Amino acid sequence: MKDTKVYILDGGTLVIDGFHVYWNRGPAGEVRFPVYSVLIDHADGLYLFDTGYDYDHVMAVLPFEKPQQTKEQTIQGAIEKAGYRTQDINYVINSHYHFDHCGGNKHLKEACTVCHAAEFGQCKCPQPFEILGYSDMSFHPDMLREKAKREGKDLPPDPEMDVWTPKVELLTGQQEIAKGLHLIETPGHTAGHYSLLVELSGRKPMLFTADAAYTRKGFDEEIISSFHLDPVAAVQSIRKLKDIALKHEAEIFVSHDLEQFGTYKTAPAHYS
Ligand SMILES: [Zn+2]
């Protein structure tokens, strides 16, 4: 069986306040943070864990997050930089449906998309404080249209979107979706959040927390972000990831930490 390869795809950066990164702890002030996706070349196919944000969406809906994204940092540009083609990706796994984790899904129409069943339900009827997080519904045109209808908006016809309904596979519980690829339930940040553990032949396992931990300091000190559905569950999820990291001697990859990101190997380099 061929060895699994892992590519970290740089998706550009955004800005939020320090009190959002470290809920009720801070310090306040602008924090620029990275957004990235993970491409896994596995014997069973090409998997993409998260798809980053869509620049136009952020500029239209959340311009205060000051997106910086080059063409190479769009999902298509980043996949190409890793040496692959967007249309060859077989599976898109969304850790959750916040706009900075699913903005590129619409460019991966051939892929089967995988997410937690609870997440799929929640993003359709979010709590008032989750509305901006779930503002980009382009990953599912039918849901996008329903949302526009609820909001009394008229969506102009879009030939790109109107012909497409994604193949969605909903999961619950811990799942080994392919040999050595484990989805770990880490709710709290959102209703149905998944982190990802990847076992590799030549190095220690990689544990991608996704938004269960934005930063290394948040992970170590169990400080969650202010964007969450259930803060107690979010802290429990960090503890669960700590246990798993210990048990598997895994290396932690947090989601939104510029300093940590600088130490990651990004595509075209890979881990194997
Ligand atoms: Zn999130």
Side-chain angles (χ1 to χ4, degrees):
M1 202 166 94
K2 75 170 188 177
D3 284 345
T4 300
K5 290 181 193 163
V6 173
Y7 296 82
I8 293 180
L9 309 184
D10 182 358
T13 59
L14 294 168
V15 162
I16 52 173
D17 189 83
F19 265 108
H20 285 312
V21 182
Y22 302 107
W23 184 48
N24 285 347
R25 296 280 283 271
E30 277 197 356
V31 177
R32 185 161 282 283
F33 65 89
V35 171
Y36 68 90
S37 307
V38 184
L39 194 164
I40 303 138
D41 186 347
H42 186 278
D44 289 355
L46 291 176
Y47 293 77
L48 189 63
F49 183 62
D50 286 340
T51 63
Y53 68 82
D54 180 81
Y55 181 87
D56 292 339
H57 173 81
V58 177
M59 285 309 284
V61 180
L62 314 96
F64 46 85
E65 294 211 3
K66 303 177 181 172
Q68 289 182 357
Q69 188 184 63
T70 64
K71 205 167 170 234
E72 264 194 346
Q73 291 169 325
T74 62
I75 196 65
Q76 306 100 308
I79 291 170
E80 226 169 85
K81 192 173 176 186
Y84 295 85
R85 299 189 313 166
T86 306
Q87 62 267 38
D88 293 338
I89 303 292
N90 303 107
Y91 301 94
V92 170
I93 306 158
N94 290 109
S95 60
H96 62 304
Y97 282 130
H98 280 171
F99 70 90
D100 54 330
H101 295 259
C102 66
N105 278 40
K106 62 186 172 199
H107 302 298
L108 293 136
K109 294 188 175 72
E110 286 84 2
C112 174
T113 76
V114 177
C115 85
H116 196 288
E119 187 69 9
F120 199 73
Q122 184 72 13
C123 70
K124 285 187 250 182
C125 310
Q127 293 290 337
F129 53 83
E130 295 183 298
I131 284 172
L132 277 184
Y134 288 127
S135 57
D136 188 350
M137 301 293 278
S138 61
F139 64 88
H140 199 296
D142 292 344
M143 278 160 53
L144 178 71
R145 272 189 289 270
E146 280 166 32
K147 179 173 177 261
K149 213 164 147 190
R150 277 198 306 275
E151 293 169 354
K153 285 183 198 152
D154 239 350
L155 279 190
D158 179 347
E160 278 261 324
M161 300 290 276
D162 290 346
V163 294
W164 171 58
T165 299
K167 299 178 280 291
V168 181
E169 201 177 311
L170 302 178
L171 304 176
T172 57
Q174 184 159 331
Q175 297 275 352
E176 186 171 11
I177 52 167
K179 195 166 167 34
L181 295 190
H182 305 267
L183 292 179
I184 298 153
E185 259 183 338
T186 44
H189 177 68
T190 60
H193 187 279
Y194 268 131
S195 303
L196 173 71
L197 179 76
V198 186
E199 294 178 282
L200 295 167
S201 60
R203 74 183 311 282
K204 46 165 124 172
M206 302 172 82
L207 179 53
F208 294 98
T209 64
D211 281 358
Y214 276 28
T215 67
R216 183 69 213 202
K217 178 184 149 101
F219 181 80
D220 290 341
E221 298 183 24
E222 300 172 357
I223 309 169
I224 61 166
S225 80
S226 73
F227 306 110
H228 53 249
L229 180 62
D230 179 342
V232 177
V235 172
Q236 281 164 350
S237 287
I238 293 181
R239 292 179 184 153
K240 180 180 185 178
L241 290 174
K242 284 182 172 177
D243 285 346
I244 287 170
L246 210 60
K247 189 173 147 211
H248 292 266
E249 293 180 25
E251 187 175 347
I252 305 291
F253 293 80
V254 292
S255 62
H256 295 311
D257 183 327
L258 202 56
E259 200 183 311
Q260 287 284 306
F261 190 70
T263 69
Y264 302 164
K265 269 196 284 189
T266 51
H270 70 268
Y271 297 84
S272 60

